[in-house]
Amino acid sequence: MNMLTISGSPHLHSDNSTRKIMFGVVVALLPAMLVAVYYFGLGALEVIVLSVFFSVFFEWLIQKYLIKGPLTITDGSAVVTGILLAFNVPSNLPWWMVIIGALVAIGIGKMSFGGLGKNIFNPALVSRVFLLVSFPVAMTSWPKPHPITKVLVDTVTGPTPLGYIKEGLGAGKTLSELIPHLPSYAQQLMGQMGGSLGEVSALAILLGGIYMLWKKIITWEIPVSMLLTVFVFSGILWLINPQHYMDPVFNLLTGGVMLGAVFMATDMVTSPMTRGGQLLFGFGIGLITMLIRVWGAYPEGVSFAILLMNSVVPLINRGFKPRRFGKVKAATVK
Amino acid sequence: MGLLKTFVLGGIHPPENKLSAGQPVRTLKVPDQVVVPMGQNLGAPSKPVVKRGDKVKTGQLIAEAGGFISARIHSPVSGTVFKIDQVMDMSGYRRTAVIIKVDGDEWMEDIDRSDTLVTEINFSPEEIIEKVKDAGIVGMGGATFPTHVKLMPPPGKSADYLLINGVECEPYLTADHQLMLEKGAEIIVGTRLLMKALKVKKAVIGIENNKPDAIRQMTELAAKEEGITVQPLKVKYPQGGEKQLIKAVTGREVPSGKLPVEVGCVVQNVGTTFAVYEAVMKNKPLIERVVTVTGKALSNPSNLKVRIGTPIKFLVEEAGGLPEDTGKVIGGGPMMGKALATLDVPVVKGTSGVLLMREAESHRLPESPCIRCSKCTQVCPMGLEPFLLSRLSRMGRFEDAEKEKVMDCIECGSCQYTCPAHIPLLDYLRLGKNKVGALIRARSKK
Ligand code: SF4
Ligand code: SF4
């Protein structure tokens, strides 16, 4: 008889794998990708392709020649980072900046920590903040959205709704003067507004989120607690002074809140492991986002909020344990 | 059906593959030689009371219990003791076994081998426990804890619930299912015997909902009895775990590090319950059991009644012969069973199944880095963090592993089953449990 395999139980394995999860995320990113190309044209497509290609390429390069370790580019994680990086920059970002972005995301954000699973910060966001600090102008000139059917290459730029409000208020204007110039809620929902290329359509992002929930790639705790916090916080300010603060729906639909809640904060590597910890994590991100939006120097704060909360995840993991079976108080046991 | 009961924390649902479901139990012929290992129960190994050359009858005592937590062993066949030697058993280690050359099948005179159902219980609780002890009965679901010990709660503790475990949540296994269909009435009498021994008024038979015929049959039989009910349960692994079953049926939670009797519950498997019936009402010691022999490449997956000590090889032959591409043979179910090095090892009291896996299904996938997806934590029925525990054991930080409750792990394998990075979590958890166990023992010696 041939040799029998000996190994410890269990002898069955689910068909789950890292690659399956990563490509599940890619599928979830597709609707937002389509919307980006629809509104921002070939520029968006170019940024996405460059970002994905160079993210994978740099990972390969670093593993092959610098670390000389096993190659893992087929696990799909570099692809996800590439798409997310593209989603976090304007669709007209010069090609060489995209390449630098990919290098920072993979080289500093991921590989310098030891590769997949070991990084503390979301690599795409590390890179986004790096680009924002290095190339502030390029990173904040947003092409105006035009359905692809009308214009293929777009050169006109305009502010994001958040930036427009922040600037306007800073210049002493009132909200009732500013609001008529904003895109309608319907346009915001669909993504017809200025912004980073993957963050504009709340609807497309939600679709991806529902897919990931269905496929059990993410759990509801982080997105729900983050969105709820933004909603409640901005709602309270709005109720106090509707002349000075934008309403909660506006705060949910604009900027990176949706993208952050569904795709960035839920990054499994950099988020807490237990449900309780995830709720706190989402709450912290929502809170910091609003603090920056309302009182900070930037019109938008989701990236900073997520990175800040990333840094306390080890602490959260220490403080929040799952409910242990059998941790019953003596009194309840008869 | 409405909402079915189940346990709350974690759990998984692997494909069931109950290939041998509905196969009537066939009696396997007695082999030419049996190998009866002395370590068939949890606790101390039994001590042989026969010597080379002795003639033995079927059912005759051949080994005494080796301690308080131990069980007696009886000859499963009649013949001559050929030798007492070290042989490899399912554990893969060489241990003492009594090897008997078979000669006919002559039973001890006081054993009632007829199929007549005896329902009249004329024994005191003490007599029942004594008979269970004499018959060498151990938990037949795989845990092999001596049954009589479970029937004697420690001083100051008492049970008010008896739970009969008919869950059979391991994929592929159908022995308990078939036993409930064929020996339901006997299992009910066994339940009454156990209730009397434990002095409890309530017994619940828990059965997963993927066995509707067994639920129907047992419900009908239980309807005629006072205090016995059947509880259908949602299909979820590892519901057959004692603590999970108690939680599912009664809502009570056994405290960490404590025994079920702490919350007034005693759990017995249906196979064990049937063995109790035979021991008390028929004077029959535990010398045979029903084993599921199964596998996708096997031509004839079966439920077989076999004598203890029969080589696994015999069972496989009866079920159609060893398929060409067999890569792994498992004693027990695929989630908690043990991979065997050879088909020469014998069936023991705790052998619930023999599963043949194809070459292609036998190998583990290569491990990749933990992506911190927390899936392992979500499915752990004990509320542990397997990724953390495995890392702590890998790093040798056993004190920390103890604080993180590694000893609560029931080794169900749900975490490893679900891990997308294919990390052999349970291997590390077992290592951790071993080392922490040694730490605890060293502490209590001081
Ligand atoms: S094997 Fe242990 S740690 Fe893993 S899921 Fe089961 S009880 Fe939890
Ligand atoms: S399931 Fe595997 S990859 Fe996911 S957290 Fe647990 S050990 Fe890590």
Side-chain angles (χ1 to χ4, degrees), chain B residues 302-374:
Chain B
S302 310
N303 299 303
L304 301 176
K305 184 159 95 178
V306 304
R307 300 284 170 91
I308 304 296
T310 308
I312 299 289
K313 199 162 51 193
F314 267 60
L315 280 63
V316 174
E317 267 157 34
E318 177 68 20
L322 189 73
E324 200 47 37
D325 66 342
T326 303
K328 202 190 241 182
V329 178
I330 296 157
M335 293 303 295
M336 295 184 83
K338 207 153 167 75
L340 306 178
T342 133
L343 292 184
D344 290 325
V345 297
V347 168
V348 288
K349 292 174 181 178
T351 309
S352 49
V354 174
L355 167 61
L356 307 187
M357 292 182 85
R358 295 189 182 120
E359 184 68 40
E361 316 167 294
S362 302
H363 302 290
R364 285 185 176 171
L365 292 162
E367 180 183 348
S368 57
C370 169
I371 52 171
R372 311 179 58 75
C373 66
S374 81

Side-chain angles (χ1 to χ4, degrees), chain A residues 273, chain B residues 370-376 387 419-421 423 425:
Chain A
M273 304 292 275
Chain B
C370 169
I371 52 171
R372 311 179 58 75
C373 66
S374 81
K375 285 252 185 302
C376 51
F387 73 95
C419 173
I423 298 171
L425 292 164

Side-chain angles (χ1 to χ4, degrees), chain B residues 189-208:
Chain B
V189 180
T191 306
R192 282 172 47 214
L193 286 166
L194 289 167
M195 288 167 78
K196 187 155 183 194
L198 285 163
K199 306 186 183 79
V200 303
K201 301 245 147 21
K202 281 173 291 186
V204 182
I205 306 173
I207 308 173
E208 279 191 349

